[in-house]
Amino acid sequence: MKVFEKSSLLNEHLASLKKEGRSIGFVPTMGALHQGHMALIRIARERNDVVVCSIFVNPVQFNDPKDLERYPRTIERDTDLLENEGCDILFFPSEKEIYPDQPCEPGINLGMLDSVMEGSHRPGHFKGVATVVKRLFEIVKPDDAYFGLKDFQQVAVIREMVRQLKLDVNIVACPTIRESDGLAMSSRNTLLSDDERKLAPVVFKTLSQVKENILNLKISQLHDLVRKNIEEKGMSLEYFEIADETTLEPVVEIASGKTFVGCIAVRLGKVRLIDNIILNT
Ligand code: AMP
């Protein structure tokens, strides 16, 4: 695996590969890699000639400085994992390399996508995500870019940015990879204490209960069920929403024959867990 720290060198190298007609698959990450990330690398490897993974903990998408400080950084282990998975190129830039000047926001209007759920609880987060992803796309110029549905709203934001800026990249959304007890894999899971880790699967169990009861209970009853499950375990519910799968607009009534997404954010000690489930009615 080739490792690049300089954008210009990576850009030149990829340009020569593209000239040879090779397709580039790109997996942007913030490191502390786990099997969720590895699944994206595997899917990219199946579909593209060259797989590029970036590791960059993007300061402008953190609304909480303590979260940024605590974010796990495990570059040596990450490099080994990527190497074993057959990733071709790791891009591991410094902040100066990504933002030589001030971070430049992409000038798009995210509308509702930036004001519901994660957007309302993490002000500025999606602007920061769009900023770094646009910059990374400029450097890597991928044919395909792979994102996890674990961050459902993020996928919607990236697709909207690509649409508004008419970027020449295909966005591939990949399924959420879970631990055997259902907990969605996340870099932040390593920050959970042993006791917290034992409680964490309640989040996905609760979403699964919502799915089972989607046609038996009213929306307000589903909200009550979620709050009760989460709070009786001593966790704090930041939000639970049943939303339209495309616009992410909160749904007020469950119509049958539609597809919704149930999205949740929970605080467990110092860690914030997010997850979602597709709800077909
Ligand atoms: P992150 O390093 O957390 O920024 O994540 C990098 C990419 O991996 C994003 O597209 C995430 O949605 C994706 N990802 C993170 N966790 C998972 C998971 N458990 N399953 C699938 N994709 C994931």
Side-chain angles (χ1 to χ4, degrees), residues 117-118 149-153 175-179 181-186 189 200-208 230 237 239-241 261-266 272-278:
M117 302 189 290
E118 289 300 286
L149 285 167
K150 149 89 168 42
D151 300 287
F152 195 93
Q153 196 168 356
T176 302
I177 305 299
R178 300 180 178 282
E179 302 286 357
D181 57 13
L183 175 65
M185 290 190 184
S186 164
N189 291 352
V202 169
V203 176
F204 185 62
K205 284 206 182 92
T206 300
L207 288 178
S208 305
I230 297 300
L237 180 66
Y239 65 79
F240 167 70
E241 262 340 320
V261 58
C263 298
I264 192 166
V266 164
R272 190 167 177 278
L273 301 173
I274 65 167
D275 202 350
N276 63 78
I277 196 164
I278 294 294

Side-chain angles (χ1 to χ4, degrees), residues 49-87:
D49 302 319
V50 179
V51 178
V52 181
C53 176
S54 65
I55 296 183
F56 178 62
V57 182
N58 175 34
V60 304
Q61 73 184 69
F62 284 79
N63 53 313
D64 173 359
K66 288 214 182 80
D67 187 26
L68 173 59
E69 200 182 299
R70 269 199 296 266
Y71 202 83
R73 289 156 171 92
T74 57
I75 186 64
E76 280 173 19
R77 188 173 167 273
D78 292 353
T79 308
D80 289 346
L81 282 170
L82 289 171
E83 194 111 47
N84 289 338
E85 209 54 68
C87 178

Side-chain angles (χ1 to χ4, degrees), residues 27-37 39-40 61 71 146-152 154-155 174-178 184-188:
V27 180
T29 81
M30 297 205 298
L33 301 179
H34 50 67
Q35 287 307 311
H37 298 112
L40 302 189
Q61 73 184 69
Y71 202 83
Y146 297 83
F147 292 87
L149 285 167
K150 149 89 168 42
D151 300 287
F152 195 93
Q154 173 170 278
V155 175
C174 306
T176 302
I177 305 299
R178 300 180 178 282
M185 290 190 184
S186 164
S187 305
R188 289 185 179 86

Side-chain angles (χ1 to χ4, degrees), residues 82-224:
L82 289 171
E83 194 111 47
N84 289 338
E85 209 54 68
C87 178
D88 300 295
I89 294 173
L90 165 61
F91 181 39
F92 181 53
S94 65
E95 195 177 334
K96 255 278 123 320
E97 207 53 44
I98 295 295
Y99 302 126
D101 308 309
Q102 282 296 311
C104 175
E105 283 180 16
I108 50 172
N109 179 5
L110 292 171
M112 173 74 86
L113 293 179
D114 197 23
S115 63
V116 295
M117 302 189 290
E118 289 300 286
S120 72
H121 286 81
R122 300 188 66 188
H125 169 66
F126 286 127
K127 276 209 183 76
V129 169
T131 303
V132 77
V133 171
K134 176 165 178 279
R135 174 79 181 116
L136 288 167
F137 282 179
E138 276 163 13
I139 298 166
V140 176
K141 298 191 172 54
D143 298 281
D144 301 289
Y146 297 83
F147 292 87
L149 285 167
K150 149 89 168 42
D151 300 287
F152 195 93
Q153 196 168 356
Q154 173 170 278
V155 175
V157 164
I158 303 291
R159 283 196 196 284
E160 185 57 20
M161 174 177 80
V162 166
R163 195 188 67 79
Q164 285 185 28
L165 300 179
K166 301 187 173 57
L167 301 180
D168 189 16
V169 53
N170 175 41
I171 302 301
V172 184
C174 306
T176 302
I177 305 299
R178 300 180 178 282
E179 302 286 357
S180 55
D181 57 13
L183 175 65
M185 290 190 184
S186 164
S187 305
R188 289 185 179 86
N189 291 352
T190 56
L191 304 175
L192 295 167
S193 70
D194 290 350
D195 287 346
E196 288 164 351
R197 176 64 189 81
K198 282 183 197 136
L199 288 178
V202 169
V203 176
F204 185 62
K205 284 206 182 92
T206 300
L207 288 178
S208 305
Q209 256 178 290
V210 169
K211 192 179 175 86
E212 277 161 32
N213 289 293
I214 190 73
L215 287 174
N216 314 332
L217 298 178
K218 289 189 196 141
I219 291 238
S220 61
Q221 291 172 314
L222 292 168
H223 278 262
D224 292 345

Side-chain angles (χ1 to χ4, degrees), residues 4 7-20 22-26 50-52 89 91 136 139-142:
F4 287 84
S7 327
S8 54
L9 296 181
L10 174 66
N11 190 268
E12 264 171 40
H13 181 69
L14 291 173
S16 72
L17 293 175
K18 282 198 108 172
K19 250 197 198 142
E20 292 167 8
R22 303 220 243 159
S23 77
I24 312 290
F26 179 41
V50 179
V51 178
V52 181
I89 294 173
F91 181 39
L136 288 167
I139 298 166
V140 176
K141 298 191 172 54

